[in-house]
Amino acid sequence: MKMTHRQSFVAALAFAVVFTTTTQAQTPFAPDSRVSLRLPLQGSEYLTYGAVTESSPGGEPDASELNRELSNPVSSLWSIANQFNNFELNNGQWNNNWNFQPVLPVGLTKDWNLITRPVMPFYNIVPHETHPDEFARDAGLGDLALVELLSPAHSGNWILGAGPTAIFPTATSVFTGQGKWQLGPTAVVGYLTKQYFIGVFPQQWWSIGGEHFRRDTNQMNLQPIASIFFSEGWSVGYSGNILADWTAPSEDVWTVPVGLALSKVVKFGRLPVKLQLALQYMPVHPRISGQEWNVQVSITPVLPKLIKGVLFQ
């Protein structure tokens, strides 16, 4: 029995939710604790990876085109980004986390796409001071962030999207989350060609509820995007997210990284995977437990599209 587009949409959303929660599901940062931000694929000749503009002689998208698509926040590709951050703080401690980030675009109509981007952080080491110069470490889930972007399907080289973003208090420790329900706007604006991609992807949140003993939040995560693409799936670009905690003292509002990332798309059998290594230095950071360095590794496999076509004609 064939499923309608709407039934397929419901099934796919259910899959995404189950997959995320059963994996034990980014928040930008946690001001209370100074936490630092930041389907088995089976071989088949009928698997498709979304709309692309360039293909290899075999009819599949080549590595360079996949690299461009995966750099695009409103791409039509389904993927699961796994980002591993290793922050050195200005107190000499290390903070490690893994951000699990599915990207699930769906065609609403022939003119509009909806891109769902949940981010679930897992904290391995979160240092917090118990006595002067003595630190304990915590681990656990962080707060789940969700971005919904409405994007025009036909905008030429322009990359455009806007919508709401939210943070849910799912952390398993007071040191890995902020304990607040948060809501705000997000947008992405960029220009993508075969040679380069430049853009900006800001998100802003305000607390709207949550644990009364935790302080209210007012924060921004701004991702500058700048990449140059080369042949055979290689690219180099800026790496880092500019963070602002608007509730902090003026000396502690900003975290500004200067970073460089090297990326390549490879194939493991029929599975395309984007690999990225980045190094970031933060010349501007909070005075207490501020981030100074980050070594970041990202692994992003491309998934077959579970929903093809559009939901509404």
Side-chain angles (χ1 to χ4, degrees):
M1 180 174 63
K2 291 186 176 180
M3 298 177 68
T4 66
H5 283 310
R6 291 186 181 132
Q7 289 173 323
S8 298
F9 179 60
V10 172
L13 282 181
F15 165 82
V17 171
V18 170
F19 187 79
T20 301
T21 54
T22 54
T23 316
Q24 302 242 5
Q26 143 175 90
T27 61
F29 50 88
D32 286 353
S33 57
R34 298 294 179 182
V35 172
S36 301
L37 288 203
R38 306 232 34 98
L39 328 162
L41 178 62
Q42 302 190 3
S44 168
E45 58 183 321
Y46 302 109
L47 293 180
T48 61
Y49 297 100
V52 292
T53 58
E54 180 178 302
S55 299
S56 65
E60 295 182 356
D62 66 10
S64 295
E65 180 57 29
L66 285 171
N67 195 2
R68 285 188 286 271
E69 288 283 322
L70 290 169
S71 301
N72 177 3
V74 294
S75 166
S76 62
L77 294 181
W78 286 44
S79 63
I80 297 180
N82 297 273
Q83 183 186 91
F84 303 91
N85 294 290
N86 302 276
F87 293 103
E88 183 182 20
L89 309 182
N90 61 352
N91 57 14
Q93 301 296 309
W94 287 85
N95 179 8
N96 310 111
N97 71 352
W98 163 35
N99 290 323
F100 176 76
Q101 307 176 67
V103 179
L104 310 169
V106 173
L108 295 179
T109 70
K110 63 182 179 64
D111 297 316
W112 293 96
N113 296 325
L114 178 67
I115 296 89
T116 300
R117 298 172 61 97
V119 181
M120 192 66 213
F122 302 78
Y123 290 95
N124 181 34
I125 297 176
V126 179
H128 49 95
E129 195 168 19
T130 55
H131 299 286
D133 298 324
E134 293 184 14
F135 292 85
R137 290 170 173 78
D138 224 1
L141 300 181
D143 291 338
L144 172 67
L146 179 65
V147 173
E148 296 286 349
L149 288 168
L150 187 65
S151 175
H154 311 289
S155 55
N157 292 104
W158 287 100
I159 303 302
L160 304 170
T165 178
I167 294 177
F168 305 95
T170 57
T172 56
S173 166
V174 295
F175 297 107
T176 61
Q178 297 171 299
K180 291 292 185 180
W181 298 83
Q182 303 174 57
L183 188 65
T186 184
V188 59
V189 179
Y191 194 78
L192 176 63
T193 71
K194 291 184 177 181
Q195 291 77 36
Y196 67 88
F197 181 27
I198 187 167
V200 64
F201 186 6
Q203 300 180 67
Q204 167 69 37
W205 299 275
W206 295 274
S207 56
I208 58 174
E211 297 172 338
H212 67 277
F213 62 91
R214 309 292 292 274
R215 70 172 178 147
D216 290 337
T217 60
N218 178 4
Q219 58 192 356
M220 180 189 69
N221 182 322
L222 187 150
Q223 180 185 357
I225 304 170
S227 296
I228 300 174
F229 303 110
F230 302 97
S231 60
E232 298 182 356
W234 288 95
S235 65
V236 64
Y238 174 86
S239 174
N241 289 40
I242 298 173
L243 312 177
D245 178 2
W246 305 116
T247 66
S250 58
E251 300 90 342
D252 299 327
V253 170
W254 294 99
T255 299
V256 181
V258 177
L260 188 67
L262 179 66
S263 307
K264 180 173 174 54
V265 171
V266 299
K267 283 192 175 183
F268 296 97
R270 292 183 54 83
L271 176 65
V273 179
K274 181 175 181 177
L275 305 176
Q276 178 173 291
L277 176 64
L279 179 64
Q280 303 163 4
Y281 170 64
M282 291 72 164
V284 179
H285 55 74
R287 295 167 296 174
I288 301 175
S289 299
Q291 304 167 5
E292 281 196 335
W293 292 92
N294 183 26
V295 178
Q296 183 185 90
V297 176
S298 298
I299 303 172
T300 307
V302 178
L303 298 180
K305 293 194 72 171
L306 298 182
I307 304 173
K308 302 178 179 67
V310 299
L311 297 179
F312 307 101
Q313 297 295 335

